[in-house]
Amino acid sequence: MKLRIRSELTYRFEAPTDAIYLIQAARWPGQTILEERLEGPTGVELVAHTTPDYGSRTLRACLSGDVCLTYEAVIDNGTLKRLPPTAHQHSWTELPGETLTYLWPSRYCPSDGFERFVGNQWSEAGGAQVLAILDWIKANIAYTHGVSTPQTTAADTFLDRAGVCRDFTHLGMAMCRASGIPARAVSAYALDLDPPDFHAVFEVYLSGGWWLVDPTGLAPVEGLVRIASGRDAVDIAFLSTNGPCQMLKQSVSVERV
Amino acid sequence: MKLRIRSELTYRFEAPTDAIYLIQAARWPGQTILEERLEGPTGVELVAHTTPDYGSRTLRACLSGDVCLTYEAVIDNGTLKRLPPTAHQHSWTELPGETLTYLWPSRYCPSDGFERFVGNQWSEAGGAQVLAILDWIKANIAYTHGVSTPQTTAADTFLDRAGVCRDFTHLGMAMCRASGIPARAVSAYALDLDPPDFHAVFEVYLSGGWWLVDPTGLAPVEGLVRIASGRDAVDIAFLSTNGPCQMLKQSVSVERV
Amino acid sequence: MKLRIRSELTYRFEAPTDAIYLIQAARWPGQTILEERLEGPTGVELVAHTTPDYGSRTLRACLSGDVCLTYEAVIDNGTLKRLPPTAHQHSWTELPGETLTYLWPSRYCPSDGFERFVGNQWSEAGGAQVLAILDWIKANIAYTHGVSTPQTTAADTFLDRAGVCRDFTHLGMAMCRASGIPARAVSAYALDLDPPDFHAVFEVYLSGGWWLVDPTGLAPVEGLVRIASGRDAVDIAFLSTNGPCQMLKQSVSVERV
Amino acid sequence: MKLRIRSELTYRFEAPTDAIYLIQAARWPGQTILEERLEGPTGVELVAHTTPDYGSRTLRACLSGDVCLTYEAVIDNGTLKRLPPTAHQHSWTELPGETLTYLWPSRYCPSDGFERFVGNQWSEAGGAQVLAILDWIKANIAYTHGVSTPQTTAADTFLDRAGVCRDFTHLGMAMCRASGIPARAVSAYALDLDPPDFHAVFEVYLSGGWWLVDPTGLAPVEGLVRIASGRDAVDIAFLSTNGPCQMLKQSVSVERV
């Protein structure tokens, strides 16, 4: 599917502050960047870096004052397939070495705590297990703004039964990892997300490949444009800074071309 | 029911240490102490105090060396009734003032976090709600030694799905309080507990009185002899010390007379 | 000191909601209520209860719509003395039985975790120890709005190094309890607090009595009018409800008569 | 320095269990593997993988019964230099892209919570800051077995003031990351560690390179042989399994050749 994505972020930095943006479409085999344009503050050098393993593209700069960054691109996101229940779960010995890290607990996904729950709840494996986890989340967690904070973990959300896309993703990943399935967080532009915003989803490694899933069910997987990947929200924040900043304006849009 | 209870605790205190024991049958309207005998270390004064509100009897002393405390009693524990599903839940305004404190979260029962779960899960009230909570615990939590620690809270057990009597009690109380039902922890001697040990259960305030329930289902409520009550394990520990000590021997026995 | 205190709370309850207010001056031996006036919503019965042990006065009602409660009183708060460094710390066996409960950890004061820190940091006891704790808090914790939440514990504040009066009080109490000194939370009207608001302080049991201290140093102890006491913020909230409500207006004032 | 390292791990697996070992010397530019020998259970295929970014070598297998794995090697660990106070701290924009991930909080290093503490405590940067952090840890944290668990985080250790090498490393990394310095965990064989065991240390990125430091001070940095690196203990465990296992025998030895 061809999609035109656009984001505009205007933030105020009272003092010179180091910032890292993660807003560009990933250089990822599955998607093609047909055209793109980045417009930043004049006179500021943006240091670009692409992680070799999953094509996340960081932009870094030391910023001060009111700073507007605009990114616009046309992306062919290929043919993202929905995870089938028959997708095969690999044993630890079969998994590619680079996927092992996504089996372990991380800052917001303390998956080690979920093992007994997952074992009690389901006796599936592979795609069927992931789909059962997504069904459970849909049935048990309310999509609610204002109940979670940047410190909220999957364990917190499991108890509190409410959250936003970030929390749904952390909970889904924690349950998948506790089931022995590598899971990693993905930030994305998402078609049909209402209101439009950066979206957080995750992907699981099954049948020899990564499969994107959206635990919120708010956006079709076929309409996702991948930005960044990582262990959890820590790695895929669209903006990280080493000092305070104030959001003045932020807009995201995604449309079919 | 008439029950003979006995406990013997031998602990080693390397240095002089303040200690508080809570091992005597409570002076509680519902139970009658027919006879009792306490044997402590010679030459050590035990300071006794009974809390006016629920008859818990603390024994305090500064101890050193190997110290053996033996308590033996014959108790008529009255006619403890099983909680009926029809027991009435009081509104906050109807509750006796002294029960309000058992509505609030405590160290090991962060009940404020359970409100959405409880609201999603059940639409009962009163006795039916408490019985539904006990059924849920029986179906979802495994009685397992070695998975919890003295720091484990009801939130931890909710995720971990396993624990011992203390953890079952904390989880049950957290869910009851989150349902608007006063719940307090009770330590007890328990008939038919295997292996015999101090037991932790709780009681809920419904239909104008307190009802004992055992979330582990390991001991019949009719065979309980009450020791102490409080907000959670913090208040009912059989031994608290302000320094290290080592258990040398501990035995508990309960038998029908 | 004679003080005129006044509070006015207007809250919106969309649906009928049980509420508990704790805003009246405590019936406490140390202070005299010279005159007082309570004005609540017409046609609503307020259920009053005074806890026998420390004179906290709860007002309960089932409320709906916009509800204004006004309380006004003139209080002689006696002669509150500042804690002297020579105040004597009691051993566990010397303490009155009813103070033991304030030695234990509570929801927001997990004092068991602070024992090694307290032991490393200070070798004082009694008043000198409490004053050293207050000095440490003053030197290390910033009074800052917006960094803590209702879930913040003393352990969180110890790490985060910032908070408001509630957090200062929890941290001070956790350190005192870890030092073997009974400590309990007190809500109060406070002279010279800027801006005026309900204040949270605590008191410690030393030399046979309770001594009020203000870990924030924002209000003189002599100008405090006691409202409620308890283990921590759980017990002294000026308003607890079993459903959502919205603050429309709230004002507090304290002046010398 | 030339070092002969040896480890022997015998574990019992009641049921077939997937296991990952991380016990071999890393293939790292700074150290040379002069000879090595691995002896595993007969008839079991060990799947080997080396992470491209830091040369950690995982060995995977599905195991059952009593399994002994022995590794022996002679390593020239090069000339590991002690971190000088003058080592330069890079701004976020100067840092190599692949080091950014070690600035972020991780499962056991919630470094985001340490920022105010670090800012209050020190006004250094670079090597001087790291050395000040190590001095603070030495002065404030006791090396004590039995107070931490596999769930213990740097925030827990900061409060509890005691732990083992793993906890010291997590605390040091959390403070370094909160200071804007990339820090990553390293497992190692360590000369002069008494008793000999796998050791956990960390390294910081300053002046264009990684510098190893040992927050416990128990082993000289010059005598370390690197095994694996990662965000925290999650990534460098010498043995991870997806089911229970029981340690029958484990020995580690390091000696100068």
Side-chain angles (χ1 to χ4, degrees):
Chain A
M1 195 186 292
K2 277 192 201 167
L3 296 158
R4 177 178 302 276
I5 59 176
R6 187 177 187 285
S7 59
E8 184 180 333
L9 286 75
T10 309
Y11 280 75
R12 175 167 295 167
F13 302 87
E14 300 285 357
T17 304
D18 283 338
I20 303 182
Y21 291 91
L22 262 173
I23 59 169
Q24 296 168 288
R27 296 204 186 283
W28 174 255
Q31 69 187 9
T32 313
I33 301 170
L34 300 174
E35 49 181 275
E36 70 175 349
R37 193 176 60 84
L38 178 74
E39 201 178 316
T42 53
V44 172
E45 192 205 2
L46 292 168
V47 179
H49 177 261
T50 302
T51 59
D53 37 356
Y54 31 74
S56 301
R57 298 157 72 195
T58 50
L59 290 169
R60 284 175 281 163
C62 181
L63 301 171
S64 59
D66 292 0
V67 176
C68 178
L69 197 70
T70 307
Y71 175 71
E72 199 166 351
V74 178
I75 308 292
D76 181 339
N77 71 348
T79 48
L80 287 167
K81 284 186 201 145
R82 301 210 168 195
L83 173 69
T86 53
H88 171 67
Q89 180 166 341
H90 301 284
S91 71
W92 281 16
T93 48
E94 292 169 354
L95 284 170
E98 67 275 14
T99 65
L100 295 177
T101 195
Y102 301 107
L103 283 171
W104 310 142
S106 62
R107 173 75 167 95
Y108 297 117
C109 297
S111 47
D112 42 333
F114 286 79
E115 289 178 11
R116 210 162 355 235
F117 172 77
V118 163
N120 290 351
Q121 194 76 15
W122 297 292
S123 51
E124 312 294 327
Q129 169 79 344
V130 175
L131 293 171
I133 288 170
L134 296 177
D135 283 345
W136 187 94
I137 290 175
K138 188 177 299 182
N140 287 281
I141 311 294
Y143 195 91
T144 314
H145 285 275
V147 299
S148 55
T149 74
Q151 270 70 49
T152 300
T153 69
D156 297 328
T157 302
F158 180 72
L159 176 57
D160 196 33
R161 305 280 153 150
V164 294
C165 61
R166 181 185 184 285
D167 306 304
F168 278 65
T169 284
H170 288 153
L171 184 55
M173 289 200 296
M175 290 182 176
C176 287
R177 291 179 189 171
S179 308
I181 300 169
R184 70 184 180 196
V186 175
S187 58
Y189 290 91
L191 189 66
D192 296 342
L193 192 64
D194 184 24
D197 201 349
F198 293 113
H199 199 37
V201 295
F202 71 99
E203 58 189 355
V204 290
Y205 191 88
L206 294 171
S207 285
W210 288 103
W211 302 82
L212 273 170
V213 295
D214 178 357
T216 67
L218 292 177
V221 167
E222 299 87 349
L224 295 177
V225 173
R226 178 187 206 88
I227 302 172
S229 309
R231 293 207 192 173
D232 61 26
V234 160
D235 291 331
I236 61 170
F238 62 85
L239 177 59
S240 305
T241 63
N242 68 359
C245 65
Q246 186 194 346
M247 199 250 277
L248 298 181
K249 190 185 167 208
Q250 184 166 311
S251 72
V252 171
S253 73
V254 181
E255 56 192 46
R256 210 161 180 162
V257 181
Chain B
M1 196 186 291
K2 277 192 200 167
L3 296 159
R4 176 177 302 274
I5 58 176
R6 188 178 186 283
S7 59
E8 185 180 333
L9 287 75
T10 309
Y11 280 76
R12 175 167 296 168
F13 302 88
E14 300 283 357
T17 304
D18 283 338
I20 303 182
Y21 291 91
L22 262 173
I23 60 169
Q24 297 168 286
R27 295 205 186 282
W28 174 257
Q31 69 188 9
T32 312
I33 300 170
L34 300 173
E35 49 181 277
E36 70 177 350
R37 192 175 61 84
L38 179 74
E39 201 176 317
T42 53
V44 173
E45 193 205 2
L46 292 169
V47 179
H49 178 261
T50 303
T51 60
D53 37 356
Y54 31 75
S56 302
R57 299 157 72 194
T58 50
L59 289 169
R60 284 176 281 164
C62 182
L63 301 172
S64 59
D66 291 0
V67 175
C68 177
L69 198 70
T70 307
Y71 175 70
E72 200 165 352
V74 178
I75 308 293
D76 182 339
N77 73 346
T79 47
L80 287 167
K81 283 186 202 146
R82 301 210 168 195
L83 173 69
T86 53
H88 170 67
Q89 180 166 343
H90 301 282
S91 72
W92 282 16
T93 48
E94 293 168 353
L95 284 169
E98 67 274 13
T99 65
L100 295 177
T101 194
Y102 301 106
L103 284 171
W104 309 141
S106 61
R107 172 77 167 93
Y108 297 116
C109 298
S111 48
D112 42 333
F114 285 80
E115 289 177 11
R116 208 160 359 232
F117 171 77
V118 163
N120 290 352
Q121 195 77 15
W122 299 292
S123 51
E124 312 294 329
Q129 170 78 345
V130 175
L131 293 171
I133 288 170
L134 296 178
D135 283 347
W136 187 94
I137 289 176
K138 188 177 299 182
N140 288 280
I141 310 294
Y143 195 91
T144 314
H145 286 275
V147 300
S148 56
T149 74
Q151 271 69 50
T152 301
T153 69
D156 297 327
T157 302
F158 181 72
L159 177 57
D160 197 32
R161 305 280 155 152
V164 293
C165 61
R166 181 184 183 284
D167 306 303
F168 278 65
T169 284
H170 288 153
L171 183 56
M173 289 200 296
M175 290 184 176
C176 288
R177 292 179 190 171
S179 308
I181 300 170
R184 70 182 178 198
V186 175
S187 58
Y189 290 90
L191 188 66
D192 296 341
L193 192 64
D194 182 25
D197 201 350
F198 293 112
H199 200 35
V201 296
F202 70 99
E203 59 188 355
V204 292
Y205 191 88
L206 294 172
S207 285
W210 289 102
W211 303 81
L212 273 169
V213 296
D214 178 357
T216 67
L218 293 178
V221 166
E222 299 87 348
L224 295 178
V225 173
R226 178 188 206 88
I227 302 172
S229 310
R231 294 206 191 172
D232 60 27
V234 160
D235 291 332
I236 61 171
F238 62 84
L239 177 58
S240 305
T241 63
N242 70 357
C245 65
Q246 185 193 346
M247 198 250 277
L248 298 183
K249 189 184 166 209
Q250 184 167 311
S251 71
V252 171
S253 72
V254 182
E255 56 191 47
R256 210 160 180 164
V257 180
Chain C
M1 196 186 291
K2 276 192 201 168
L3 296 158
R4 178 177 301 276
I5 59 177
R6 188 178 187 285
S7 59
E8 185 179 333
L9 286 76
T10 309
Y11 280 75
R12 175 167 296 168
F13 302 88
E14 300 284 356
T17 304
D18 284 337
I20 303 182
Y21 292 91
L22 262 173
I23 59 169
Q24 297 168 286
R27 296 204 186 283
W28 175 256
Q31 69 186 11
T32 312
I33 301 170
L34 300 173
E35 49 180 276
E36 70 176 350
R37 194 175 61 82
L38 179 74
E39 202 176 315
T42 52
V44 173
E45 192 204 2
L46 292 169
V47 179
H49 177 260
T50 302
T51 59
D53 38 355
Y54 33 74
S56 301
R57 298 157 72 194
T58 50
L59 289 169
R60 284 175 282 164
C62 182
L63 302 171
S64 58
D66 292 0
V67 177
C68 178
L69 196 70
T70 308
Y71 175 69
E72 199 166 351
V74 178
I75 309 293
D76 182 338
N77 72 347
T79 47
L80 286 167
K81 285 186 200 145
R82 300 207 171 197
L83 173 68
T86 53
H88 171 67
Q89 180 166 342
H90 300 283
S91 71
W92 281 17
T93 48
E94 293 168 353
L95 283 169
E98 68 274 14
T99 65
L100 295 177
T101 195
Y102 301 107
L103 284 171
W104 309 141
S106 62
R107 173 76 167 92
Y108 296 117
C109 297
S111 48
D112 42 333
F114 286 80
E115 289 178 11
R116 211 163 353 235
F117 172 76
V118 163
N120 290 351
Q121 194 77 15
W122 298 292
S123 51
E124 312 294 328
Q129 170 79 343
V130 175
L131 293 172
I133 288 170
L134 297 177
D135 284 346
W136 187 94
I137 290 175
K138 189 176 300 181
N140 287 280
I141 311 295
Y143 195 91
T144 314
H145 285 276
V147 299
S148 55
T149 74
Q151 270 69 50
T152 301
T153 69
D156 297 328
T157 302
F158 181 72
L159 177 57
D160 197 32
R161 305 279 153 151
V164 294
C165 61
R166 182 184 183 285
D167 306 303
F168 278 66
T169 284
H170 287 153
L171 184 55
M173 290 200 295
M175 289 183 177
C176 287
R177 291 179 190 171
S179 308
I181 300 169
R184 69 182 180 197
V186 175
S187 59
Y189 290 91
L191 189 66
D192 297 342
L193 192 64
D194 183 25
D197 201 349
F198 293 112
H199 199 37
V201 295
F202 70 100
E203 59 189 353
V204 290
Y205 191 88
L206 293 171
S207 285
W210 288 102
W211 301 83
L212 274 170
V213 295
D214 178 357
T216 68
L218 292 177
V221 167
E222 299 85 349
L224 295 177
V225 173
R226 178 188 207 88
I227 301 173
S229 309
R231 293 206 191 174
D232 60 27
V234 160
D235 292 331
I236 61 171
F238 62 85
L239 177 59
S240 306
T241 63
N242 69 358
C245 65
Q246 185 193 347
M247 198 249 277
L248 298 182
K249 191 186 163 207
Q250 184 166 312
S251 72
V252 171
S253 72
V254 182
E255 57 192 45
R256 212 162 177 161
V257 181
Chain D
M1 196 186 290
K2 277 192 200 167
L3 295 159
R4 176 178 301 277
I5 59 175
R6 188 177 187 283
S7 59
E8 185 180 334
L9 285 75
T10 309
Y11 280 75
R12 175 167 295 168
F13 301 88
E14 300 284 356
T17 304
D18 283 338
I20 304 182
Y21 291 91
L22 262 173
I23 59 168
Q24 296 168 286
R27 296 205 185 281
W28 175 256
Q31 69 188 9
T32 313
I33 301 170
L34 300 173
E35 48 181 277
E36 69 176 351
R37 193 175 61 84
L38 179 74
E39 202 175 316
T42 52
V44 173
E45 193 204 2
L46 292 169
V47 179
H49 177 261
T50 302
T51 59
D53 37 356
Y54 32 73
S56 301
R57 299 157 72 195
T58 50
L59 289 170
R60 283 176 281 164
C62 183
L63 301 172
S64 59
D66 292 0
V67 177
C68 178
L69 197 70
T70 307
Y71 175 70
E72 199 165 351
V74 177
I75 308 293
D76 182 339
N77 73 346
T79 47
L80 286 167
K81 284 186 201 145
R82 301 208 169 195
L83 173 69
T86 53
H88 171 68
Q89 180 166 343
H90 300 283
S91 71
W92 282 16
T93 48
E94 292 168 353
L95 284 169
E98 69 273 15
T99 65
L100 295 177
T101 194
Y102 301 106
L103 283 171
W104 310 141
S106 61
R107 173 76 167 91
Y108 297 116
C109 298
S111 47
D112 42 333
F114 286 80
E115 289 178 11
R116 209 161 358 233
F117 172 77
V118 163
N120 290 350
Q121 194 77 15
W122 297 292
S123 51
E124 313 294 327
Q129 170 78 345
V130 175
L131 293 172
I133 287 171
L134 296 178
D135 283 346
W136 186 94
I137 289 175
K138 189 177 298 182
N140 287 282
I141 310 295
Y143 194 91
T144 313
H145 285 275
V147 299
S148 56
T149 74
Q151 271 70 49
T152 301
T153 68
D156 296 328
T157 302
F158 181 71
L159 177 57
D160 197 32
R161 304 280 154 151
V164 293
C165 61
R166 181 184 184 284
D167 306 303
F168 277 66
T169 284
H170 288 153
L171 184 55
M173 290 199 296
M175 290 183 176
C176 288
R177 291 179 190 171
S179 308
I181 300 169
R184 71 182 177 196
V186 175
S187 58
Y189 290 91
L191 188 66
D192 296 342
L193 192 63
D194 183 25
D197 200 349
F198 293 113
H199 199 37
V201 296
F202 70 100
E203 59 189 353
V204 291
Y205 191 87
L206 294 171
S207 284
W210 288 103
W211 301 83
L212 273 170
V213 295
D214 178 357
T216 67
L218 293 178
V221 167
E222 299 87 348
L224 296 177
V225 172
R226 179 187 206 88
I227 302 172
S229 309
R231 293 206 191 174
D232 59 27
V234 160
D235 291 331
I236 61 171
F238 62 84
L239 177 58
S240 305
T241 64
N242 69 358
C245 63
Q246 185 194 345
M247 198 250 278
L248 297 182
K249 190 183 165 208
Q250 184 166 312
S251 71
V252 171
S253 72
V254 182
E255 56 191 47
R256 213 163 179 162
V257 179

